[in-house]
Amino acid sequence: MKRLVILGSTGSIGTQALDVAQQLGYPIVALAAHSNTALLEQQIRQFHPRAAALFDEAAARDLRTRVRDCDVEILSGMAGLCELASREDADVVLNSVVGMVGLLPTLAAMRAGHDVALANKETLVAGGELVMGIAREKGVRLLPVDSEHSAIFQCLQGTRQGLWTPPQSSDALGIHRLILTASGGPFFGKTAEDLKTVTVQDALRHPNWSMGQKITIDSATMMNKGLELIEARWLFDVAPENIDIVVHRESIVHSLVEFDDYSVLAQLGMPDMRIPIQYALTWPERYVSPVQRLDLAAMGKLTFFKPDDAAFPCMSLCRRALQQGGAYPAAVNAANEVANALFRQEKISFPRIAELIAAALERPLSPVHTEQDILAVDEACRAYTRELVK
Ligand code: NDP
Ligand code: MG
């Protein structure tokens, strides 16, 4: 039994994590979200956390009034999130907030000595080196929730070193290559020309996964796979040139590891995030889960394709960000967060998202060492991207 803090509890991952926690009988010590007062109130009444937080101050005040009859402390702002993340009565902090705003709470949890189940990939994209360094220093684990990274993590169990978790060094594991699978999103097969006229509604129609809006758009641009490439580079300590991406339309093979002898291990299952969420929480144990079981004969066939870098340039832009190193991964993430939101507001076209990300790579940026450096780069790149659109 592990006591959980869930940040981003009102989101797609957060609500599924609460489902999983309930099935497992894991107690919830704290919950946090941005401003969804109604759902957080409902979760407080159902799961009885000792504390909860809303990032938005006004929403937090409203929540405090609504739950006056409950024995729960209500916090607000980034300070509130970080306080929940570092609570002494927690065993694992599941970070499923969306965006690079998750960086400070992740750091707070690790500095308090907690293992972090990480769905919030932007944290590792913007601050991978710093985050992994602190995990090593503090001796805490990063348990991947992202399905591809969970698949790789699962393939790395039972190596000659025994059970493996990041941030252990992966040097001795004999990894030759990681292969990330990508669904290809709603626009698989479309050309750069076709993509000029796609709408927000088209982009939000993901074929296999039901997810929050930001990551659904990231899947349509395939920026999601670029972000995951950076996430994998840090989580598994594998050089980017040894990380491949393959399009797999059915989302059944969640990713693969090729070892030095060219033996390849893969993890398969139905596309249901409750599998990786549960594994991150129960590792190294496995328990029965409520998800549909895989029936390969019913699937018939599984298909694999080379990604189309010309129509979907975001993957190569993320590779370039890693090559340029330093602040550039944080810069492409910031440009993407802004561009993704502007596209959803119908202020820019779909291909403009990649153009704005490319622009972030052209600017001279100083190296980043601390979280303050990363936050400063993030802020400056957001402002620059907004300026370009004006
Ligand atoms: P959603 O948009 O569904 O949910 C986002 C959650 O984060 C909500 O609870 C939201 O609160 C909260 N949030 C947003 N901003 C803040 C803030 N400033 N402070 C506190 N809480 C905040 O996103 P998803 O659940 O889809 O994704 C969450 C993360 O997990 C992302 O990083 C995504 O890339 C990653 N991920 C998601 C997958 C999925 O299947 N959904 C798969 C793999 C990774 P509120 O409701 O109040 O706005
Ligand atoms: Mg993923």
Side-chain angles (χ1 to χ4, degrees), residues 7-14 16 32-37 39 53-56 78 81 95-99 101 119-122 145-148 209-215 218 224 228 273:
L7 308 177
S9 63
T10 55
S12 160
I13 294 288
Q16 294 181 82
H34 178 267
S35 50
N36 190 340
T37 325
L39 184 52
L54 283 171
F55 186 84
D56 185 89
M78 183 51 79
L81 292 186
N95 187 348
S96 61
V97 308
V98 59
V101 72
N120 176 239
K121 63 189 87 189
E122 296 90 348
V145 171
D146 210 348
S147 59
E148 296 75 6
W209 299 95
S210 157
M211 311 181 285
Q213 292 209 343
K214 191 256 177 187
I215 185 176
D218 284 346
N224 185 47
E228 291 183 356
M273 285 306 295

mmCIF file of all heavy atoms in Angstrom, residues 7-14 16 32-37 39 53-56 78 81 95-99 101 119-122 145-148 209-215 218 224 228 273, ligand 1:
data_model
loop_
_atom_site.group_PDB
_atom_site.id
_atom_site.type_symbol
_atom_site.label_atom_id
_atom_site.label_comp_id
_atom_site.label_asym_id
_atom_site.label_seq_id
_atom_site.Cartn_x
_atom_site.Cartn_y
_atom_site.Cartn_z
ATOM 1 N N LEU A 7 -1.111 15.210 -8.496
ATOM 2 C CA LEU A 7 -1.160 16.583 -9.008
ATOM 3 C C LEU A 7 -1.744 16.513 -10.419
ATOM 4 O O LEU A 7 -1.264 15.734 -11.248
ATOM 5 C CB LEU A 7 0.248 17.185 -9.052
ATOM 6 C CG LEU A 7 1.052 17.088 -7.759
ATOM 7 C CD1 LEU A 7 2.464 17.663 -7.955
ATOM 8 C CD2 LEU A 7 0.339 17.819 -6.613
ATOM 9 N N GLY A 8 -2.772 17.320 -10.683
ATOM 10 C CA GLY A 8 -3.461 17.222 -11.973
ATOM 11 C C GLY A 8 -4.562 16.179 -11.896
ATOM 12 O O GLY A 8 -4.854 15.491 -12.868
ATOM 13 N N SER A 9 -5.204 16.063 -10.717
ATOM 14 C CA SER A 9 -6.163 14.967 -10.470
ATOM 15 C C SER A 9 -7.449 15.100 -11.278
ATOM 16 O O SER A 9 -8.188 14.131 -11.419
ATOM 17 C CB SER A 9 -6.496 14.892 -8.978
ATOM 18 O OG SER A 9 -7.145 16.081 -8.567
ATOM 19 N N THR A 10 -7.721 16.294 -11.816
ATOM 20 C CA THR A 10 -8.969 16.480 -12.566
ATOM 21 C C THR A 10 -8.802 16.199 -14.056
ATOM 22 O O THR A 10 -9.755 16.307 -14.823
ATOM 23 C CB THR A 10 -9.479 17.928 -12.387
ATOM 24 O OG1 THR A 10 -8.411 18.818 -12.770
ATOM 25 C CG2 THR A 10 -9.878 18.217 -10.960
ATOM 26 N N GLY A 11 -7.591 15.867 -14.481
ATOM 27 C CA GLY A 11 -7.330 15.664 -15.908
ATOM 28 C C GLY A 11 -7.560 14.227 -16.355
ATOM 29 O O GLY A 11 -8.015 13.376 -15.573
ATOM 30 N N SER A 12 -7.209 13.970 -17.600
ATOM 31 C CA SER A 12 -7.393 12.641 -18.179
ATOM 32 C C SER A 12 -6.572 11.605 -17.411
ATOM 33 O O SER A 12 -7.095 10.569 -16.970
ATOM 34 C CB SER A 12 -6.995 12.704 -19.662
ATOM 35 O OG SER A 12 -6.705 11.443 -20.157
ATOM 36 N N ILE A 13 -5.288 11.859 -17.203
ATOM 37 C CA ILE A 13 -4.454 10.918 -16.435
ATOM 38 C C ILE A 13 -4.862 10.921 -14.967
ATOM 39 O O ILE A 13 -4.978 9.865 -14.341
ATOM 40 C CB ILE A 13 -2.951 11.292 -16.550
ATOM 41 C CG1 ILE A 13 -2.452 11.118 -17.984
ATOM 42 C CG2 ILE A 13 -2.106 10.479 -15.579
ATOM 43 C CD1 ILE A 13 -2.298 9.699 -18.450
ATOM 44 N N GLY A 14 -5.103 12.117 -14.412
ATOM 45 C CA GLY A 14 -5.434 12.228 -12.990
ATOM 46 C C GLY A 14 -6.669 11.425 -12.612
ATOM 47 O O GLY A 14 -6.670 10.691 -11.610
ATOM 48 N N GLN A 16 -7.983 8.894 -14.229
ATOM 49 C CA GLN A 16 -7.707 7.455 -14.385
ATOM 50 C C GLN A 16 -6.823 6.957 -13.236
ATOM 51 O O GLN A 16 -6.953 5.821 -12.775
ATOM 52 C CB GLN A 16 -7.025 7.178 -15.723
ATOM 53 C CG GLN A 16 -7.929 7.476 -16.914
ATOM 54 C CD GLN A 16 -7.235 7.173 -18.235
ATOM 55 O OE1 GLN A 16 -7.200 6.029 -18.671
ATOM 56 N NE2 GLN A 16 -6.670 8.178 -18.864
ATOM 57 N N ALA A 32 -4.406 17.930 -6.400
ATOM 58 C CA ALA A 32 -4.279 19.308 -6.886
ATOM 59 C C ALA A 32 -4.686 19.413 -8.344
ATOM 60 O O ALA A 32 -4.570 18.444 -9.110
ATOM 61 C CB ALA A 32 -2.840 19.795 -6.731
ATOM 62 N N ALA A 33 -5.150 20.611 -8.712
ATOM 63 C CA ALA A 33 -5.515 20.898 -10.106
ATOM 64 C C ALA A 33 -5.305 22.384 -10.362
ATOM 65 O O ALA A 33 -4.777 23.104 -9.496
ATOM 66 C CB ALA A 33 -6.960 20.492 -10.361
ATOM 67 N N HIS A 34 -5.716 22.835 -11.523
ATOM 68 C CA HIS A 34 -5.539 24.255 -11.856
ATOM 69 C C HIS A 34 -6.713 25.093 -11.342
ATOM 70 O O HIS A 34 -6.553 25.968 -10.501
ATOM 71 C CB HIS A 34 -5.379 24.427 -13.373
ATOM 72 C CG HIS A 34 -5.236 25.845 -13.779
ATOM 73 N ND1 HIS A 34 -6.314 26.620 -14.142
ATOM 74 C CD2 HIS A 34 -4.148 26.638 -13.852
ATOM 75 C CE1 HIS A 34 -5.894 27.847 -14.417
ATOM 76 N NE2 HIS A 34 -4.577 27.877 -14.252
ATOM 77 N N SER A 35 -7.937 24.812 -11.840
ATOM 78 C CA SER A 35 -9.085 25.654 -11.467
ATOM 79 C C SER A 35 -10.422 24.923 -11.515
ATOM 80 O O SER A 35 -11.464 25.552 -11.365
ATOM 81 C CB SER A 35 -9.138 26.869 -12.404
ATOM 82 O OG SER A 35 -9.061 26.425 -13.749
ATOM 83 N N ASN A 36 -10.408 23.626 -11.733
ATOM 84 C CA ASN A 36 -11.667 22.884 -11.834
ATOM 85 C C ASN A 36 -12.223 22.600 -10.429
ATOM 86 O O ASN A 36 -12.094 21.506 -9.873
ATOM 87 C CB ASN A 36 -11.449 21.586 -12.612
ATOM 88 C CG ASN A 36 -12.766 20.896 -12.956
ATOM 89 O OD1 ASN A 36 -13.784 21.159 -12.326
ATOM 90 N ND2 ASN A 36 -12.728 20.033 -13.947
ATOM 91 N N THR A 37 -12.867 23.645 -9.869
ATOM 92 C CA THR A 37 -13.363 23.589 -8.496
ATOM 93 C C THR A 37 -14.396 22.473 -8.303
ATOM 94 O O THR A 37 -14.335 21.735 -7.325
ATOM 95 C CB THR A 37 -14.051 24.927 -8.147
ATOM 96 O OG1 THR A 37 -13.347 25.974 -8.801
ATOM 97 C CG2 THR A 37 -14.041 25.189 -6.678
ATOM 98 N N LEU A 39 -15.023 19.615 -9.930
ATOM 99 C CA LEU A 39 -14.528 18.234 -9.913
ATOM 100 C C LEU A 39 -13.615 17.984 -8.715
ATOM 101 O O LEU A 39 -13.676 16.911 -8.097
ATOM 102 C CB LEU A 39 -13.804 17.908 -11.233
ATOM 103 C CG LEU A 39 -13.324 16.464 -11.375
ATOM 104 C CD1 LEU A 39 -14.435 15.456 -11.095
ATOM 105 C CD2 LEU A 39 -12.739 16.217 -12.774
ATOM 106 N N ALA A 53 -5.077 21.432 -3.434
ATOM 107 C CA ALA A 53 -4.663 22.758 -3.899
ATOM 108 C C ALA A 53 -5.219 23.035 -5.283
ATOM 109 O O ALA A 53 -5.380 22.124 -6.099
ATOM 110 C CB ALA A 53 -3.128 22.842 -3.930
ATOM 111 N N LEU A 54 -5.524 24.317 -5.520
ATOM 112 C CA LEU A 54 -5.803 24.791 -6.870
ATOM 113 C C LEU A 54 -4.765 25.863 -7.177
ATOM 114 O O LEU A 54 -4.478 26.720 -6.333
ATOM 115 C CB LEU A 54 -7.224 25.348 -6.984
ATOM 116 C CG LEU A 54 -8.322 24.277 -7.077
ATOM 117 C CD1 LEU A 54 -9.707 24.895 -6.974
ATOM 118 C CD2 LEU A 54 -8.195 23.463 -8.375
ATOM 119 N N PHE A 55 -4.207 25.794 -8.371
ATOM 120 C CA PHE A 55 -3.188 26.759 -8.771
ATOM 121 C C PHE A 55 -3.786 28.166 -8.786
ATOM 122 O O PHE A 55 -3.174 29.131 -8.346
ATOM 123 C CB PHE A 55 -2.656 26.385 -10.153
ATOM 124 C CG PHE A 55 -1.500 27.216 -10.605
ATOM 125 C CD1 PHE A 55 -0.212 26.896 -10.210
ATOM 126 C CD2 PHE A 55 -1.701 28.308 -11.441
ATOM 127 C CE1 PHE A 55 0.863 27.659 -10.621
ATOM 128 C CE2 PHE A 55 -0.622 29.075 -11.853
ATOM 129 C CZ PHE A 55 0.656 28.747 -11.453
ATOM 130 N N ASP A 56 -5.000 28.251 -9.284
ATOM 131 C CA ASP A 56 -5.687 29.530 -9.408
ATOM 132 C C ASP A 56 -6.197 29.999 -8.030
ATOM 133 O O ASP A 56 -6.949 29.288 -7.367
ATOM 134 C CB ASP A 56 -6.856 29.353 -10.375
ATOM 135 C CG ASP A 56 -7.560 30.653 -10.663
ATOM 136 O OD1 ASP A 56 -7.148 31.328 -11.606
ATOM 137 O OD2 ASP A 56 -8.521 30.983 -9.925
ATOM 138 N N MET A 78 1.626 28.050 -6.942
ATOM 139 C CA MET A 78 2.759 27.130 -7.091
ATOM 140 C C MET A 78 3.264 26.678 -5.722
ATOM 141 O O MET A 78 3.645 25.518 -5.533
ATOM 142 C CB MET A 78 3.880 27.837 -7.878
ATOM 143 C CG MET A 78 5.071 26.968 -8.160
ATOM 144 S SD MET A 78 4.659 25.376 -8.913
ATOM 145 C CE MET A 78 4.388 25.868 -10.601
ATOM 146 N N LEU A 81 1.171 23.801 -4.607
ATOM 147 C CA LEU A 81 1.499 22.545 -5.306
ATOM 148 C C LEU A 81 2.772 21.939 -4.737
ATOM 149 O O LEU A 81 2.863 20.732 -4.508
ATOM 150 C CB LEU A 81 1.717 22.790 -6.804
ATOM 151 C CG LEU A 81 0.529 23.207 -7.667
ATOM 152 C CD1 LEU A 81 0.937 23.246 -9.133
ATOM 153 C CD2 LEU A 81 -0.629 22.253 -7.481
ATOM 154 N N ASN A 95 2.698 12.997 -10.774
ATOM 155 C CA ASN A 95 2.580 14.324 -11.386
ATOM 156 C C ASN A 95 1.943 14.191 -12.758
ATOM 157 O O ASN A 95 2.578 13.737 -13.703
ATOM 158 C CB ASN A 95 3.960 14.987 -11.477
ATOM 159 C CG ASN A 95 3.852 16.436 -11.941
ATOM 160 O OD1 ASN A 95 2.790 16.869 -12.394
ATOM 161 N ND2 ASN A 95 4.929 17.180 -11.836
ATOM 162 N N SER A 96 0.690 14.589 -12.858
ATOM 163 C CA SER A 96 -0.011 14.542 -14.152
ATOM 164 C C SER A 96 -0.600 15.895 -14.503
ATOM 165 O O SER A 96 -1.642 15.972 -15.141
ATOM 166 C CB SER A 96 -1.087 13.452 -14.142
ATOM 167 O OG SER A 96 -2.051 13.705 -13.139
ATOM 168 N N VAL A 97 0.066 16.975 -14.077
ATOM 169 C CA VAL A 97 -0.354 18.286 -14.578
ATOM 170 C C VAL A 97 0.147 18.395 -16.018
ATOM 171 O O VAL A 97 1.041 17.651 -16.439
ATOM 172 C CB VAL A 97 0.173 19.482 -13.731
ATOM 173 C CG1 VAL A 97 -0.154 19.289 -12.268
ATOM 174 C CG2 VAL A 97 1.648 19.705 -13.934
ATOM 175 N N VAL A 98 -0.444 19.290 -16.782
ATOM 176 C CA VAL A 98 -0.015 19.437 -18.166
ATOM 177 C C VAL A 98 0.893 20.662 -18.268
ATOM 178 O O VAL A 98 0.606 21.703 -17.693
ATOM 179 C CB VAL A 98 -1.220 19.515 -19.140
ATOM 180 C CG1 VAL A 98 -2.145 20.686 -18.828
ATOM 181 C CG2 VAL A 98 -0.748 19.603 -20.586
ATOM 182 N N GLY A 99 2.029 20.494 -18.926
ATOM 183 C CA GLY A 99 2.906 21.622 -19.194
ATOM 184 C C GLY A 99 4.072 21.721 -18.239
ATOM 185 O O GLY A 99 4.146 21.030 -17.222
ATOM 186 N N VAL A 101 4.792 23.760 -16.199
ATOM 187 C CA VAL A 101 4.432 24.212 -14.862
ATOM 188 C C VAL A 101 4.631 23.065 -13.842
ATOM 189 O O VAL A 101 4.735 23.302 -12.644
ATOM 190 C CB VAL A 101 2.977 24.758 -14.876
ATOM 191 C CG1 VAL A 101 1.958 23.641 -15.013
ATOM 192 C CG2 VAL A 101 2.690 25.618 -13.676
ATOM 193 N N ALA A 119 3.868 11.534 -15.323
ATOM 194 C CA ALA A 119 3.157 11.600 -16.609
ATOM 195 C C ALA A 119 3.553 12.893 -17.315
ATOM 196 O O ALA A 119 3.588 12.967 -18.536
ATOM 197 C CB ALA A 119 1.648 11.584 -16.380
ATOM 198 N N ASN A 120 3.848 13.903 -16.512
ATOM 199 C CA ASN A 120 4.126 15.259 -16.996
ATOM 200 C C ASN A 120 5.468 15.318 -17.738
ATOM 201 O O ASN A 120 6.502 15.679 -17.208
ATOM 202 C CB ASN A 120 4.141 16.189 -15.759
ATOM 203 C CG ASN A 120 4.510 17.619 -16.082
ATOM 204 O OD1 ASN A 120 5.491 18.141 -15.553
ATOM 205 N ND2 ASN A 120 3.761 18.250 -16.941
ATOM 206 N N LYS A 121 5.430 14.949 -19.048
ATOM 207 C CA LYS A 121 6.682 14.816 -19.806
ATOM 208 C C LYS A 121 7.398 16.136 -19.995
ATOM 209 O O LYS A 121 8.624 16.174 -20.123
ATOM 210 C CB LYS A 121 6.410 14.157 -21.153
ATOM 211 C CG LYS A 121 5.510 14.913 -22.091
ATOM 212 C CD LYS A 121 5.134 14.060 -23.302
ATOM 213 C CE LYS A 121 3.919 13.227 -23.026
ATOM 214 N NZ LYS A 121 3.587 12.247 -24.026
ATOM 215 N N GLU A 122 6.638 17.257 -19.999
ATOM 216 C CA GLU A 122 7.270 18.565 -20.223
ATOM 217 C C GLU A 122 8.344 18.855 -19.165
ATOM 218 O O GLU A 122 9.309 19.573 -19.433
ATOM 219 C CB GLU A 122 6.212 19.679 -20.231
ATOM 220 C CG GLU A 122 5.195 19.576 -21.383
ATOM 221 C CD GLU A 122 3.953 18.744 -21.048
ATOM 222 O OE1 GLU A 122 3.956 18.050 -20.009
ATOM 223 O OE2 GLU A 122 2.984 18.780 -21.832
ATOM 224 N N VAL A 145 5.078 7.116 -16.472
ATOM 225 C CA VAL A 145 3.660 6.845 -16.724
ATOM 226 C C VAL A 145 3.364 6.904 -18.225
ATOM 227 O O VAL A 145 2.489 6.189 -18.713
ATOM 228 C CB VAL A 145 2.765 7.850 -15.949
ATOM 229 C CG1 VAL A 145 1.306 7.736 -16.366
ATOM 230 C CG2 VAL A 145 2.913 7.643 -14.443
ATOM 231 N N ASP A 146 4.090 7.732 -18.950
ATOM 232 C CA ASP A 146 3.911 7.817 -20.399
ATOM 233 C C ASP A 146 4.014 6.382 -20.946
ATOM 234 O O ASP A 146 4.937 5.636 -20.574
ATOM 235 C CB ASP A 146 5.024 8.709 -20.981
ATOM 236 C CG ASP A 146 4.571 9.437 -22.230
ATOM 237 O OD1 ASP A 146 3.510 9.092 -22.770
ATOM 238 O OD2 ASP A 146 5.299 10.352 -22.665
ATOM 239 N N SER A 147 3.083 5.979 -21.819
ATOM 240 C CA SER A 147 2.971 4.550 -22.161
ATOM 241 C C SER A 147 4.236 3.998 -22.820
ATOM 242 O O SER A 147 4.637 2.866 -22.537
ATOM 243 C CB SER A 147 1.757 4.309 -23.053
ATOM 244 O OG SER A 147 1.865 5.070 -24.229
ATOM 245 N N GLU A 148 4.885 4.806 -23.675
ATOM 246 C CA GLU A 148 6.089 4.337 -24.369
ATOM 247 C C GLU A 148 7.214 4.103 -23.355
ATOM 248 O O GLU A 148 7.956 3.125 -23.435
ATOM 249 C CB GLU A 148 6.557 5.362 -25.404
ATOM 250 C CG GLU A 148 5.586 5.608 -26.545
ATOM 251 C CD GLU A 148 4.373 6.451 -26.154
ATOM 252 O OE1 GLU A 148 4.333 6.960 -25.006
ATOM 253 O OE2 GLU A 148 3.456 6.577 -26.980
ATOM 254 N N TRP A 209 -6.475 7.097 -28.671
ATOM 255 C CA TRP A 209 -6.407 7.471 -27.265
ATOM 256 C C TRP A 209 -7.345 8.647 -27.002
ATOM 257 O O TRP A 209 -7.428 9.559 -27.817
ATOM 258 C CB TRP A 209 -4.992 7.932 -26.888
ATOM 259 C CG TRP A 209 -3.895 6.928 -27.053
ATOM 260 C CD1 TRP A 209 -3.075 6.799 -28.129
ATOM 261 C CD2 TRP A 209 -3.444 5.951 -26.100
ATOM 262 N NE1 TRP A 209 -2.153 5.802 -27.913
ATOM 263 C CE2 TRP A 209 -2.359 5.265 -26.674
ATOM 264 C CE3 TRP A 209 -3.858 5.595 -24.811
ATOM 265 C CZ2 TRP A 209 -1.672 4.238 -26.013
ATOM 266 C CZ3 TRP A 209 -3.177 4.578 -24.162
ATOM 267 C CH2 TRP A 209 -2.109 3.909 -24.754
ATOM 268 N N SER A 210 -7.982 8.627 -25.828
ATOM 269 C CA SER A 210 -8.751 9.792 -25.403
ATOM 270 C C SER A 210 -7.927 10.492 -24.326
ATOM 271 O O SER A 210 -7.672 9.942 -23.264
ATOM 272 C CB SER A 210 -10.101 9.310 -24.866
ATOM 273 O OG SER A 210 -10.612 10.271 -23.995
ATOM 274 N N MET A 211 -7.467 11.721 -24.629
ATOM 275 C CA MET A 211 -6.487 12.386 -23.749
ATOM 276 C C MET A 211 -6.857 13.861 -23.619
ATOM 277 O O MET A 211 -7.770 14.344 -24.277
ATOM 278 C CB MET A 211 -5.080 12.296 -24.362
ATOM 279 C CG MET A 211 -4.678 10.905 -24.810
ATOM 280 S SD MET A 211 -3.016 10.834 -25.508
ATOM 281 C CE MET A 211 -3.257 11.574 -27.114
ATOM 282 N N GLY A 212 -6.116 14.595 -22.797
ATOM 283 C CA GLY A 212 -6.303 16.038 -22.683
ATOM 284 C C GLY A 212 -6.042 16.702 -24.034
ATOM 285 O O GLY A 212 -5.426 16.121 -24.928
ATOM 286 N N GLN A 213 -6.543 17.947 -24.185
ATOM 287 C CA GLN A 213 -6.463 18.621 -25.490
ATOM 288 C C GLN A 213 -5.037 18.940 -25.921
ATOM 289 O O GLN A 213 -4.693 18.806 -27.089
ATOM 290 C CB GLN A 213 -7.263 19.923 -25.437
ATOM 291 C CG GLN A 213 -8.748 19.674 -25.302
ATOM 292 C CD GLN A 213 -9.570 20.778 -25.936
ATOM 293 O OE1 GLN A 213 -9.051 21.866 -26.206
ATOM 294 N NE2 GLN A 213 -10.832 20.523 -26.159
ATOM 295 N N LYS A 214 -4.196 19.353 -24.977
ATOM 296 C CA LYS A 214 -2.839 19.753 -25.377
ATOM 297 C C LYS A 214 -2.086 18.575 -25.981
ATOM 298 O O LYS A 214 -1.512 18.666 -27.064
ATOM 299 C CB LYS A 214 -2.098 20.339 -24.163
ATOM 300 C CG LYS A 214 -0.790 21.030 -24.510
ATOM 301 C CD LYS A 214 0.430 20.206 -24.161
ATOM 302 C CE LYS A 214 1.727 20.867 -24.567
ATOM 303 N NZ LYS A 214 2.881 19.972 -24.361
ATOM 304 N N ILE A 215 -2.100 17.440 -25.299
ATOM 305 C CA ILE A 215 -1.355 16.277 -25.814
ATOM 306 C C ILE A 215 -2.022 15.720 -27.080
ATOM 307 O O ILE A 215 -1.345 15.184 -27.955
ATOM 308 C CB ILE A 215 -1.173 15.184 -24.733
ATOM 309 C CG1 ILE A 215 -0.299 14.046 -25.267
ATOM 310 C CG2 ILE A 215 -2.466 14.681 -24.185
ATOM 311 C CD1 ILE A 215 0.030 12.962 -24.267
ATOM 312 N N ASP A 218 -0.576 17.757 -29.701
ATOM 313 C CA ASP A 218 0.829 17.318 -29.837
ATOM 314 C C ASP A 218 0.927 16.002 -30.616
ATOM 315 O O ASP A 218 1.910 15.768 -31.324
ATOM 316 C CB ASP A 218 1.469 17.105 -28.455
ATOM 317 C CG ASP A 218 1.834 18.413 -27.746
ATOM 318 O OD1 ASP A 218 1.851 19.469 -28.408
ATOM 319 O OD2 ASP A 218 2.106 18.362 -26.526
ATOM 320 N N ASN A 224 4.407 15.384 -29.946
ATOM 321 C CA ASN A 224 4.377 14.479 -28.794
ATOM 322 C C ASN A 224 5.518 13.473 -28.868
ATOM 323 O O ASN A 224 6.174 13.192 -27.868
ATOM 324 C CB ASN A 224 3.025 13.767 -28.715
ATOM 325 C CG ASN A 224 2.902 12.913 -27.467
ATOM 326 O OD1 ASN A 224 3.214 13.367 -26.365
ATOM 327 N ND2 ASN A 224 2.478 11.671 -27.616
ATOM 328 N N GLU A 228 8.686 13.005 -26.465
ATOM 329 C CA GLU A 228 8.972 11.689 -25.864
ATOM 330 C C GLU A 228 10.393 11.224 -26.160
ATOM 331 O O GLU A 228 10.991 10.498 -25.358
ATOM 332 C CB GLU A 228 7.953 10.661 -26.371
ATOM 333 C CG GLU A 228 6.568 10.940 -25.807
ATOM 334 C CD GLU A 228 5.513 9.931 -26.199
ATOM 335 O OE1 GLU A 228 5.816 9.014 -26.989
ATOM 336 O OE2 GLU A 228 4.377 10.055 -25.723
ATOM 337 N N MET A 273 -4.441 3.757 -20.628
ATOM 338 C CA MET A 273 -3.409 4.353 -19.766
ATOM 339 C C MET A 273 -3.425 3.797 -18.344
ATOM 340 O O MET A 273 -2.478 3.997 -17.591
ATOM 341 C CB MET A 273 -3.556 5.887 -19.724
ATOM 342 C CG MET A 273 -3.086 6.592 -20.977
ATOM 343 S SD MET A 273 -1.381 6.181 -21.445
ATOM 344 C CE MET A 273 -0.434 6.853 -20.095
HETATM 345 P P1 NDP B 1 -5.495 17.185 -19.071
HETATM 346 O O1 NDP B 1 -5.572 18.470 -19.803
HETATM 347 O O2 NDP B 1 -6.592 16.205 -19.222
HETATM 348 O O3 NDP B 1 -5.334 17.476 -17.513
HETATM 349 C C1 NDP B 1 -4.387 18.381 -17.044
HETATM 350 C C2 NDP B 1 -4.436 18.430 -15.532
HETATM 351 O O4 NDP B 1 -3.445 19.344 -15.074
HETATM 352 C C3 NDP B 1 -5.766 18.940 -14.985
HETATM 353 O O5 NDP B 1 -6.003 18.315 -13.755
HETATM 354 C C4 NDP B 1 -5.486 20.433 -14.783
HETATM 355 O O6 NDP B 1 -6.343 21.048 -13.830
HETATM 356 C C5 NDP B 1 -4.068 20.333 -14.271
HETATM 357 N N1 NDP B 1 -3.301 21.574 -14.393
HETATM 358 C C6 NDP B 1 -3.069 22.308 -15.488
HETATM 359 N N2 NDP B 1 -2.321 23.390 -15.194
HETATM 360 C C7 NDP B 1 -2.080 23.328 -13.865
HETATM 361 C C8 NDP B 1 -1.423 24.168 -12.951
HETATM 362 N N3 NDP B 1 -0.842 25.309 -13.335
HETATM 363 N N4 NDP B 1 -1.381 23.792 -11.657
HETATM 364 C C9 NDP B 1 -1.997 22.656 -11.253
HETATM 365 N N5 NDP B 1 -2.648 21.822 -12.059
HETATM 366 C C10 NDP B 1 -2.691 22.171 -13.356
HETATM 367 O O7 NDP B 1 -4.095 16.529 -19.478
HETATM 368 P P2 NDP B 1 -3.684 14.988 -19.537
HETATM 369 O O8 NDP B 1 -4.151 14.286 -18.307
HETATM 370 O O9 NDP B 1 -4.033 14.444 -20.853
HETATM 371 O O10 NDP B 1 -2.099 15.097 -19.507
HETATM 372 C C11 NDP B 1 -1.379 15.378 -18.323
HETATM 373 C C12 NDP B 1 0.097 15.126 -18.560
HETATM 374 O O11 NDP B 1 0.289 13.737 -18.827
HETATM 375 C C13 NDP B 1 0.666 15.868 -19.773
HETATM 376 O O12 NDP B 1 1.983 16.228 -19.509
HETATM 377 C C14 NDP B 1 0.630 14.823 -20.873
HETATM 378 O O13 NDP B 1 1.605 15.043 -21.854
HETATM 379 C C15 NDP B 1 0.919 13.556 -20.084
HETATM 380 N N6 NDP B 1 0.411 12.341 -20.703
HETATM 381 C C16 NDP B 1 -0.928 12.179 -20.906
HETATM 382 C C17 NDP B 1 -1.426 11.032 -21.496
HETATM 383 C C18 NDP B 1 -2.907 10.808 -21.643
HETATM 384 O O14 NDP B 1 -3.309 9.717 -22.049
HETATM 385 N N7 NDP B 1 -3.751 11.768 -21.336
HETATM 386 C C19 NDP B 1 -0.523 9.983 -21.973
HETATM 387 C C20 NDP B 1 0.868 10.232 -21.679
HETATM 388 C C21 NDP B 1 1.300 11.372 -21.076
HETATM 389 P P3 NDP B 1 -7.792 21.732 -14.271
HETATM 390 O O15 NDP B 1 -8.670 20.576 -14.627
HETATM 391 O O16 NDP B 1 -8.222 22.447 -13.055
HETATM 392 O O17 NDP B 1 -7.498 22.616 -15.438
#
